[in-house]
């Protein structure tokens, strides 16, 4: 699977309200956890650049994974 497809798949699941767990994503896509971390950083940068959305990618300690947080009231 190409990088773009992998990132879009993860981004879609985040928008659906799912939690991304780095090791599970690495297994799903058969890549290393560092590759997934770079993908997560890319998604975080994208959301940061689009500040009009009010969304932020954060690590949820309770869920032990990454989720999208809506910063709009």
């Amino acid at each position: 699977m190409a990088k773009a497809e992998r990132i879009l798949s993860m981004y879609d699941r985040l928008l659906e309200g799912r939690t991304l767990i780095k090791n599970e994503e690495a297994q799903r896509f058969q890549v290393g956890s560092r590759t997934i971390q770079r993908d997560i950083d890319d998604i975080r940068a994208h959301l940061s650049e689009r500040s009009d959305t009010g969304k932020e990618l954060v690590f949820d300690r309770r869920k032990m994974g990454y989720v999208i947080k809506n910063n709009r009231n």
Side-chain angles (χ1 to χ4, degrees), residues 34-61:
R34 285 154 102 188
T35 298
I36 297 300
Q37 185 61 55
R38 285 190 292 271
D39 294 345
I40 288 168
D41 292 342
D42 288 343
I43 294 169
R44 182 178 284 132
H46 170 72
L47 290 172
S48 172
E49 290 170 3
R50 300 225 25 227
S51 58
D52 60 318
T53 66
K55 293 182 182 349
E56 178 182 11
L57 182 60
V58 297
F59 184 80
D60 186 321
R61 289 180 189 248

Side-chain angles (χ1 to χ4, degrees), residues 19-23 59-66:
T19 302
L20 295 185
I21 298 171
K22 193 173 10 175
N23 290 335
F59 184 80
D60 186 321
R61 289 180 189 248
R62 207 171 27 96
K63 296 179 179 180
M64 296 304 293
Y66 293 88

Side-chain angles (χ1 to χ4, degrees), residues 12-26:
D12 284 345
R13 285 184 281 124
L14 284 165
L15 290 177
E16 292 171 354
R18 295 190 188 171
T19 302
L20 295 185
I21 298 171
K22 193 173 10 175
N23 290 335
E24 290 177 8
E25 295 303 310

